[in-house]
Amino acid sequence: MTDLQTRVRLPGPASPRRAAPALLGYAAVRALGLLALALWSAARDKSAYTLLTARWDSLWYSRVAERGYGYEIRLPNGDVHADLAFFPLLPWLERLLHAVAPLSYADAGFVVALVASFAAAWGIFAVADHVYGRRAGVCAVLVWAVLPVGIVQSMAYSESLFTALAAWSLYAVLTGRWVTAGVLASLSGLTRPVGLAVVAAVWAAGAASLLRERAVTPEVSIAGTRSTAPASGAHTPVHALRPSADTPAGREAIALRPGFAPRALALLLAPLGAAGYVLWVGHRTGRGPLGYLDVQAGWRNGFDGGYAFARFVADKFTSFPAALAGLGLVVGVALLLWLYAVCVRQGQPLPLLVYGGVVLALALCASSYFGSKPRLLLPAFPLLLPPAVALSRLRTGRAALVVGCVATASAVYGAWWLNGSGPP
């Protein structure tokens, strides 16, 4: 079954009351992670809050928020780390919050990330609930929360903000809110380069919707259509079936039939954020439309089809015990590819498959710092829907035990990781 066969539903808002169990569970998991981080950091005489708000990328974001763009560091090896590599939506929000509340830019970044993480959890629930039901929606949020690098969701980084915009944009596509989907996709493109994945999902869904505009789902053709073909006993072609306003299913199909203008507007709006920022960077640097790629090259970021990552993994097998790490990386990549194959086999809606596939491809095939790949995969929540569905089929007590054990392990790992190498 594909998204073309998904049961037609009237679009409705994702009720906060309906999402409450998921959000409460998410709050509990994140509180456990922050508690573990606080205890671990105190034992090492470090500030957990500083780790969350004033290290690595969070420093670049807060600097952009405070002083605007134009700062760069020239390294001895010739690399140039410029703040133009960081997309502007998070710094804009930090600056806005700093202007209206007595918060430093770092504090503002933490507040934005905290609010965005709950918005992301709610959006993930809305998507999973729409496709698989409420119980799977709750489990999807919990699985996302207990990821080993889940602590990043509470950092003054852009991952939570981007995931929130992406999830709600995908939900808008799934429920036929095309203009909303386009606006949110555009905002996601102002947040991270991987906003291209949201744009691709909106475009793919819009194109598929236009192609099947006159088609009807099997359910509607059985219970909610009227055949215009002659009663000759011959097979009735699909194009001869039209939704009938005389049946509930037919009225439902007619109500959901989108107009051309909203879809076209969504397709136009979706890429504006990313395209606008990339073109602005090109103009600012004087290097034209591809100037942003030069900025990323200064950070040794690029897209090489996974060649650099494959070499990195292969080099691990030249010594021991590094070979164990290499084996772990191979298993991890195989698991990700297997999860995506399961998503395809289970018939996830087209927008989720496109979005998840593009996020996965960009993360695995980028030549960026390899330790950041788990963090780059954090927004790829559609890959978590198969395990979420499996978890939802367990009895409540057993599911709670599984989540509790994994959440504890994730909290300990996150505290150790952030006090060590952490996310670059």
Side-chain angles (χ1 to χ4, degrees):
M1 190 174 76
T2 69
D3 71 303
L4 302 182
Q5 299 168 310
T6 300
R7 183 182 183 275
V8 178
R9 303 183 184 183
L10 286 173
S15 167
R17 178 177 296 180
R18 184 173 179 84
L23 297 179
L24 289 174
Y26 180 77
V29 173
R30 287 274 44 85
L32 178 63
L34 293 175
L35 176 61
L37 176 63
L39 295 175
W40 195 293
S41 301
R44 294 175 58 88
D45 198 25
K46 291 185 178 181
S47 168
Y49 189 70
T50 299
L51 293 176
L52 294 171
T53 62
R55 292 184 72 187
W56 304 296
D57 291 3
S58 57
L59 290 174
W60 289 88
Y61 283 120
S62 61
R63 187 181 182 92
V64 171
E66 181 179 4
R67 304 181 185 181
Y69 286 101
Y71 179 73
E72 64 181 29
I73 299 176
R74 295 185 177 272
L75 303 181
N77 65 355
D79 291 345
V80 178
H81 289 183
D83 57 10
L84 290 170
F86 296 89
F87 278 52
L89 186 58
L90 177 56
W92 286 349
L93 294 176
E94 290 178 353
R95 181 180 298 178
L96 176 62
L97 193 54
H98 170 76
V100 301
L103 297 172
S104 68
Y105 292 103
D107 295 338
F110 178 73
V111 172
V112 171
L114 181 65
V115 174
S117 67
F118 279 88
W122 190 2
I124 292 171
F125 168 81
V127 170
D129 178 27
H130 179 80
V131 179
Y132 295 110
R134 186 183 188 189
R135 188 176 176 89
V138 173
C139 292
V141 171
L142 294 176
V143 172
W144 188 65
V146 302
L147 289 175
V149 294
I151 190 65
V152 175
Q153 298 163 15
S154 300
M155 296 182 68
Y157 271 42
S158 61
E159 272 76 9
S160 289
L161 178 61
F162 174 78
T163 305
L165 293 168
W168 284 107
S169 180
L170 293 172
Y171 178 73
V173 168
L174 293 174
T175 55
R177 295 172 172 87
W178 289 99
V179 176
T180 299
V183 170
L184 293 176
S186 184
L187 290 175
S188 73
L190 284 171
T191 309
R192 295 186 62 81
V194 76
L196 294 175
V198 190
V199 176
V202 173
W203 278 3
S209 176
L210 290 171
L211 289 175
R212 67 173 185 260
E213 184 175 25
R214 293 182 176 276
V216 292
T217 63
E219 178 179 348
V220 173
S221 66
I222 293 173
T225 59
R226 175 183 298 154
S227 173
T228 58
S232 60
H235 173 68
T236 303
V238 171
H239 69 266
L241 299 176
R242 294 292 182 267
S244 170
D246 299 332
T247 66
R251 287 191 294 272
E252 186 174 316
I254 292 172
L256 283 174
R257 180 185 294 167
F260 175 79
R263 284 174 292 177
L265 183 57
L267 299 184
L268 290 173
L269 288 173
L272 291 184
Y277 181 68
V278 168
L279 292 175
W280 178 81
V281 170
H283 173 74
R284 172 145 181 160
T285 60
R287 299 171 186 172
L290 300 181
Y292 182 77
L293 298 181
D294 293 335
V295 171
Q296 286 284 12
W299 288 81
R300 294 186 179 267
N301 290 336
F303 188 88
D304 62 1
Y307 174 73
F309 184 43
R311 287 190 57 185
F312 173 78
V313 175
D315 288 343
K316 294 292 184 182
F317 289 95
T318 60
S319 62
F320 188 86
L324 297 178
L327 180 60
L329 289 171
V330 171
V331 172
V333 172
L335 177 61
L336 290 170
L337 296 177
W338 176 76
L339 281 175
Y340 187 74
V342 174
C343 292
V344 175
R345 189 167 63 247
Q346 290 184 349
Q348 275 190 16
L350 178 64
L352 300 186
L353 290 177
V354 171
Y355 169 77
V358 174
V359 173
L360 181 61
L362 290 177
L364 294 183
C365 298
S367 59
S368 57
Y369 178 69
F370 305 115
S372 65
K373 290 191 181 293
R375 175 173 65 87
L376 298 179
L377 286 164
L378 196 59
F381 68 90
L383 299 181
L384 304 178
L385 296 184
V389 171
L391 183 64
S392 70
R393 292 171 179 164
L394 299 179
R395 293 183 178 180
T396 301
R398 184 172 298 179
L401 179 62
V402 171
V403 170
C405 292
V406 178
T408 301
S410 174
V412 173
Y413 176 80
W416 169 79
W417 183 55
L418 211 55
N419 274 276
S421 60

